[in-house]
Amino acid sequence: MEAGEKAMDNQHGRRRWRWSGTLRTAPSWTMAALIAAVAGVPSTALSELPASGSWREIGPPVGQIGGLAVDATDPSVVVASTRTNGVFRSSDGGRSWTRSEPVSFGNRTRTLVADPHQSGAFYALTSFTGRISRSTDGGATWNDVPGTYSGANSSFAVDPINAGVIYVGTSGAGLVQSTNSGRTWARLDESDETFSGVLITSIAVDPLNADRLFVATQSADPGIAEATFDGTNWTFTPRNTGLSNPRSAELAFDAAGALFATVANNTFRYDDATTSWVSTSHPGGVRLITAEPGAGGVLFTGGTDGIHRTATGGGIGAWRLEAHSAFGEILEVAFAERALAGTNGFGILRRNSGVWSTSNAGLNAGEMSGLLVDPATPGRYLGGVFGPGLVETVDGGATWAATGAGLAPDTGVSLLQVSMDDASTYFGFQRDDLYRSTDAGQSWENLDPENAVNRDIRGLVQLDAQTVFVATTGGVYRGDLSDVENVVWTLENEGLTNTSLNGLVRDNATGHLYTISFGRGAHRGVDTEAGLSWIDVPDDGPTNNFGSSIAIDQARGFVYFANTSGALFRLDLAEEGAQFSLLADDLPGSSAVLFAPSGIGQLVASVRDDGLYFSDNDGVNWEPLGDAFPFTVTAFVEDVHQHDQYLAASRGASIARIGPDAVFASGFESVGGR
């Protein structure tokens, strides 16, 4: 069988796929996440996975926006790229959104540009792979530009006067131009290498003179340079007078040909007469500047302080704060039927008479890091999402709102878990901080304000009401919660041969802990009066067995772990002195994230960008779980109030739900197909 080829057999009369070949590595922070059984919740056997069901996104309607662009001739058509995975389009000026054909454009901001010379045409820049994509159908489908420049691209601009002329700024490889929509390229600074070794952060083309550009770089030399063309040669002249630190500027021309820049949290206007920059007295907290089309001097800025606007080109007292920083950092501003803004977590904002409000219907593109079903309230879910931090729905996903007082802003919440002794007490972590909520997630307290646990948390197990263990990239810590104002953390790595850990589970029958490490496979921890004592648990894998995910099926008495080479191992907890046995060496994707919904005898694996698969014969064969769900899943749980409904949180598609076809017939919708 060829590498990556899928072969099909018909065991038990069901379609199955067996995968082989070279497998990929998922991000190191992904892990199994299984919501523990909660005291007071009725014990009902879990249903078999609804493999023939359909996925439906239920929100939250948020996302990290990488770029916004508006059709050159139809302001009702808007395209937005998300920073995780996916492009969305709007046909009503940004009021509502639909996912386009799934395509990844990397995670750089400001990646989308409308072609001003062709209706429905857009360019998208991929910063890290050097790819430029183009759409000619309003953002529904995308194709690589023929002859795409292969440099490390960092910025992009389209000539507003001459059709087919585009510019790409690179990271160290100069400024390049195409005069035929990307079929061929030429480096403009090849003779003097003005931009060699520096990253170009922004390019602005003079709307009144296409032979004149301004190029901003990440370096003080050349800083901001003016580029002019005399019909034969390009000349590059540094233009930094008036700037104390001319690095990483963002540039924009207004309709009257005036040039503006953001530098070091301030904004400046370029004075052609003196070839110098003059401060516009911006209040601060700014990272981008955009001019409203057709209106000289009307500018919008965005950044950590929110959105400011001026109608006079700036000046003392001329800037008005229109959107507060509560919406998160503003990454992009574009102009459709109304002004639109892209944020780092709250999705899209839309302006109406000077008032900005979220406009995210159908967006559902958050980078989800955790998921919890409230065991006491049907239809209430909490989701960890980068940007807002924590969001909540009380109506099964129809509406969502930010929540979680006390959590750090702009950081996702992971490993959301219900306490084993109290259904209204939750645990969750943000990077290396563990939080606890005693009011069902409304407010949170940091259990490690002194940062005793100073490495990223990768797993959480609660021993009893007063004791938790966390696995980190620096080992295992025991937390004594008897005094939550002064939690005592103890590092307990005795016997660990590798302390860079990924995941943690507990066998309730013996009290033993199990974890996996990056390079040494699995480890068993035995809790004694002297503390945890660890031993390596043998397996059939290679000497350097890099564990990627661990899960426990307590009801069946098995612990599973996967490694970064696509192998799956199982430990029989009932067998004294057992080792991990190799079950399969061709999981559908390396570093698959494992989930073991207890009691149903099935495994679920999330494969990076390829979706969810399940196995009911211990990983020997795998088949898709429901309709195509092409995103990396970070949490997979059953809705304890609807025992044939499962929820998945993912990077790129927020939260989706799967159930029988009769319930969810609409499926996972995509414009343009796959």
Side-chain angles (χ1 to χ4, degrees), residues 548-625:
S548 63
S549 184
I550 188 167
I552 186 169
D553 187 335
Q554 191 70 63
R556 301 175 69 219
F558 296 131
V559 176
Y560 300 88
F561 86 84
N563 69 12
T564 56
S565 298
L568 175 67
F569 301 86
R570 185 184 72 180
L571 175 71
D572 189 341
L573 294 171
E575 185 178 338
E576 187 72 21
Q579 70 176 29
F580 277 92
S581 300
L582 179 66
L583 296 178
D585 59 4
D586 57 355
L587 288 177
S590 63
S591 294
V593 184
L594 295 176
F595 307 95
S598 188
I600 66 175
Q602 294 173 317
L603 285 175
V604 176
S606 171
V607 180
R608 184 179 184 184
D609 299 334
D610 280 345
L612 283 167
Y613 295 80
F614 81 99
S615 171
D616 55 15
N617 58 3
D618 280 328
V620 176
N621 299 101
W622 296 85
E623 62 181 288
L625 177 57

Side-chain angles (χ1 to χ4, degrees), residues 475-497:
V476 175
Y477 289 82
R478 180 197 300 263
D480 181 354
L481 310 185
S482 55
D483 179 4
V484 295
E485 298 296 327
N486 299 282
V487 176
V488 177
W489 291 96
T490 307
L491 184 62
E492 301 194 356
N493 287 344
E494 180 66 32
L496 277 178
T497 53

Side-chain angles (χ1 to χ4, degrees), residues 28-33 369-370 384-386 389-390 407-408 411-417 426-437 444-448 453 455-461 469-473 489 502-504 634:
S28 61
W29 55 264
T30 56
M31 66 191 73
S369 54
V385 57
F386 286 92
L390 192 68
L407 293 168
T411 303
V413 183
S414 303
L415 277 183
L416 284 165
Q417 186 166 308
Y426 302 161
F427 293 97
F429 77 83
Q430 293 182 301
R431 295 177 179 167
D432 61 353
D433 288 322
L434 180 65
Y435 288 82
R436 187 181 75 164
S437 171
W444 297 77
E445 56 188 339
N446 191 342
L447 299 181
D448 185 25
V453 180
R455 305 295 291 272
D456 285 355
I457 298 173
R458 300 301 178 91
L460 168 68
V461 163
F469 295 100
V470 292
T472 76
T473 53
W489 291 96
N502 195 8
L504 186 67
T634 58

